[in-house]
Every structure is written in C-alpha cells, then in structure tokens.
Amino acid sequence: MTDKTCPIPEPFSSMLGTIIFLTLIFFLSFISRFIFAPLMPIISDDLLITPSQAGSIFLFVSVGVAIGSLCSGFVSSKINHKGSLVVSILGAGTILMVCVFLSDLWIIRLAMIFLGITAGLNLPSNLAVLTATVNRPDWGKAMAVQQTGPPISLILGPLLIVLLLPWMSWRLILACLAVFIIGTGLVLILFGKFGDFPGDPPSASNVKLVLAKKSFWIMIALFALGISGHVGLYTMIPLYLVTEHNFGFELANTIVGLSQVSTLFMTFFSGWVTDRLHEKRTIFLFLLTAGVFTILLGVLSGTWLKVIIFIQPAMAVCFFPAGFAALSRIVQPNIRSLATSWAAPIAFIIGGGLFPAALGYMGQAFSFGLGISLAGIIIMLGSLLVIFLDLLDEMEEGC
C-alpha cells in the first residue's frame, strides 16, 4: 500500500469517454510501429533490404519497447501517468516524422529503438489508469474496448496504404500519420482529465516481489505466445503472401487489412467470455484455438489460405483482454504497473521482435510457411502453461 492519492473507481458507463480516449492513445502507439508492416514490401524494394533484414527492424522496435517499459515506472512516478502518456504520444509522432527522411538501414533501426521506447512508456500507464478508474467487475468490458486499439491499427494500416500509395509516397504517408499523432498529443495536454496520479518506481523490494512470483514468468511466456500469434505474425504476413504465394502488393495488404476487421469485434466477445469463464479458462481456450489456425496458415494455399487468414487473427486477438486482466491480478495494485512494465516488454521482445526476425530468417533460408506452422505448434503447447498460473482473489485498495 502507498499513501498516494488514487482515483475512485467508477462504473464502465461513467468512464466510457476516458476509456475511448485511452483506446485512441493505444491505437496510435500501435499504428506508429506497425504501419511499417504493410509498407515493408515497398520499403524493401526501395532500400534494397532482404526478408531477414526486414524482420530485424521489428526486433529493434521490441528492444525499444523493453527499454521504455523498464523506465516507465521512473517516468510516471515523476510526471504522473498522464505526463507519461503525453511523452509517449508526442515522442512517437516526432520520431515517425524523423523516419520520413531516413534511408540508411542502421539509422532506421536506431530510430525504431526510440519509437519502441515511446510505446514502452504507453502501455503501463495506459493500463494503470484504466484499472484505477474502472470498477473491478467491469475490467473485462473496459479492457475489451481498450484492446480494440491494436486491431483497429492493424485494420487501417494496410487499407490506408492501399488507398494512399497510388497518390503519395510511403514517406509522405508516414509524415501525415506523424502530424495526426502529434495533434492528438496536444489534445491530451489541453483536455485530458485522467491519470493525475503517480506510478511507482521499481524499488528493489518491489522488483523482488514481482520477480519472485512464478505467475509473473508464466504471464511473460503466455504474452509472448499471444503476441507472436497476433502482431508478430502480422508484421511478416504481407511479405509471406507476396514472396511465397505470389499475391500482388495491393491484394496482399487488402486481405491482411480486411482480415483484422473481425478482431475489432472479437475483443468484445473475449471480454464477455472473460467476465463469465474468468481469465485462465479464456486464455487457454483462445491460445489453443489460435495455435491450430496458425498451423493451418502455414500449410494451406489458395482459397483455404485466404479463409484462414481471416479466422486466425480473430482467434489470436481474443487472448489479450483476458491476458491483461490476468496480468493485473498476479500482484497487488500498488505494484501492478511495475509488473506490467516488466512483463509486457520481455514478452514483446520475444513475440514482436525475435519471432518476426526468426520468421524472416526462415523465409530466406527455408520457407515462411514452415516457420509459421512451427510457431502454431508452440502456441498450442504453450497454452497448457495456464494450468500453473495463480491469480489473486483478494485485491487491496489502491492504484
């Protein structure tokens, strides 16, 4: 317990405006990074980079996410969670604008680290504000709304590229997105009325409490699987379809973008399931199902491949509302943001960084399909880890 002033949790309906704005911030954090996935075939041709080098770009982003998340407790303890969100969103827009002018691969990788850092500051504060301001029985619904941020970004990213690329260069597209993100950051500064409470810096005693939790490490593994099956796979799917299945660039991005539409609704379904089956059963159910469809994504072709492209992300995204709800229950509220800021980046390095890099290597040395199928097997088997997960039933007051 701490003596800091915390907001009074309110019902879902009362906090809907705040939840939607937090979702917008989450959305912009995602699209600033994952807009590079649908652009990758064009960027690869423009900068003459290989599939393995393309995958490495997302590895550098994940390293930045880890750095930002590990520092998030120090930042939010000094400037409150709102200040941390402001730094995150303005930083993302600024760095994306810098990327407009870059051509050297190593400098782009360096920029990706800093772009990842802004995302690393976002998630712990975003989740801390959400769980501190919404009543516990409504977490499933609130997180279902929040978790539409990533799916919306994965839907709009490819479709915006298909729509805008005939009219402007990929660099100008990045510039327009950067301007919108910076504008949102200014709106947050002027009108945001949430998050005016500090985070907790990672003191040695708190770090020891978190690291000693078996469930903390299990959640890292589960999140790594969930991230691999969703955003990790998403980063390389356009390249997979273009290089191994001879899809045209526009067709590949259109299909990938449209395939994410169902994820927008499935997060609400997952939130509803989580409130009824609770976190552990929901995590197991959807990781197992996502693993099966990931295997099929790697082995099928033709019409059936197109069908699976639509089903697989719908299953994979359902992990996250239950996953974040479970992550919020492995420790008491006073160290919740610390657990989030450590677990999420470690998992993202694996699922959002190492996995795309490994998939890029498999695509260059063997085949993307083989790498995707192996990932599906691992996700299926990993779903059993939920058996060993311990969640707290009695939660203290606080934030």
Side-chain angles (χ1 to χ4, degrees):
M1 296 291 294
T2 65
D3 58 359
K4 63 184 178 182
T5 302
C6 299
I8 299 174
E10 298 184 32
F12 173 84
S13 58
S14 300
M15 300 305 300
L16 185 58
T18 295
I19 294 168
I20 291 174
F21 201 89
L22 288 171
T23 302
L24 173 63
I25 295 171
F26 202 17
F27 159 78
L28 293 176
S29 174
F30 254 76
I31 200 169
S32 67
R33 292 172 285 153
F34 290 100
I35 194 67
F36 290 94
L39 285 173
M40 196 52 65
I42 297 296
I43 295 176
S44 297
D45 290 341
D46 189 19
L47 303 183
L48 302 177
I49 62 177
T50 67
S52 179
Q53 290 172 328
S56 72
I57 288 176
F58 299 101
L59 175 59
F60 280 82
V61 172
S62 68
V63 171
V65 172
I67 296 172
S69 293
L70 294 176
C71 296
S72 64
F74 294 107
V75 175
S76 62
S77 68
K78 300 297 183 181
I79 59 176
N80 289 348
H81 286 296
K82 178 183 176 180
S84 186
L85 291 173
V86 167
V87 171
S88 170
I89 202 71
L90 290 181
T94 302
I95 295 163
L96 204 59
M97 184 64 76
V98 171
C99 289
V100 172
F101 305 98
L102 302 181
S103 296
D104 182 82
L105 179 60
W106 273 106
I107 298 179
I108 290 174
R109 286 168 170 166
L110 181 63
M112 291 299 100
I113 292 177
F114 285 102
L115 189 61
I117 289 173
T118 67
L121 295 176
N122 190 307
L123 178 58
S125 289
N126 203 306
L127 187 61
V129 173
L130 187 73
T131 53
T133 56
V134 178
N135 285 339
R136 170 67 186 88
D138 292 329
W139 279 7
K141 293 187 288 291
M143 290 185 185
V145 175
Q146 184 209 42
Q147 289 304 306
T148 61
I152 292 173
S153 73
L154 302 186
I155 294 166
L156 289 184
L159 298 182
L160 284 174
I161 299 306
V162 171
L163 178 65
L164 297 177
L165 204 55
W167 304 98
M168 59 183 69
S169 69
W170 64 269
R171 295 181 186 276
L172 184 55
I173 293 173
L174 290 185
C176 293
L177 179 59
V179 170
F180 182 80
I181 293 174
I182 292 171
T184 303
L186 296 178
V187 171
L188 174 60
I189 293 173
L190 295 174
F191 302 106
K193 299 183 182 302
F194 52 80
D196 288 323
F197 62 95
D200 296 294
S203 65
S205 58
N206 285 343
V207 170
K208 184 177 179 180
L209 283 174
V210 171
L211 296 183
K213 288 275 186 179
K214 175 190 65 176
S215 293
F216 170 76
W217 299 102
I218 294 174
M219 287 306 306
I220 288 175
L222 292 172
F223 263 90
L225 295 172
I227 292 169
S228 295
H230 189 222
V231 296
L233 192 58
Y234 170 90
T235 60
M236 303 302 288
I237 284 293
L239 203 56
Y240 166 54
L241 296 178
V242 170
T243 58
E244 289 196 4
H245 290 278
N246 299 315
F247 281 53
F249 173 78
E250 290 188 359
L251 177 60
N253 274 311
T254 299
I255 289 177
V256 170
L258 292 177
S259 72
Q260 299 293 322
V261 171
S262 63
T263 66
L264 179 60
F265 306 103
M266 291 301 287
T267 57
F268 290 98
F269 174 67
S270 176
W272 179 82
V273 173
T274 300
D275 286 340
R276 284 153 180 79
L277 296 184
H278 302 299
E279 293 87 351
K280 292 177 64 171
R281 293 189 185 96
T282 306
I283 289 171
F284 173 75
L285 172 64
F286 288 118
L287 275 185
L288 181 66
T289 308
V292 171
F293 285 106
T294 301
I295 295 172
L296 296 176
L297 187 62
V299 300
L300 297 178
S301 60
T303 301
W304 280 111
L305 172 62
K306 295 177 183 177
V307 172
I308 297 302
I309 288 174
F310 280 83
I311 297 176
Q312 192 277 340
M315 296 296 102
V317 76
C318 288
F319 161 81
F320 293 100
F324 279 111
L327 184 58
S328 298
R329 287 184 56 199
I330 64 172
V331 294
Q332 293 295 346
N334 64 302
I335 54 174
R336 182 185 295 144
S337 62
L338 176 60
T340 305
S341 65
W342 283 61
I346 297 173
F348 195 83
I349 285 180
I350 300 169
L354 292 175
F355 175 70
L359 197 54
Y361 170 78
M362 290 293 292
Q364 186 172 326
F366 302 100
S367 77
F368 280 112
L370 176 60
I372 292 170
S373 296
L374 291 175
I377 294 172
I378 293 171
I379 292 171
M380 281 184 59
L381 297 175
S383 66
L384 296 172
L385 288 173
V386 76
I387 296 172
F388 308 101
L389 187 63
D390 296 322
L391 303 180
L392 298 179
D393 292 321
E394 298 295 330
M395 304 292 289
E396 298 173 357
E397 296 295 327
C399 57

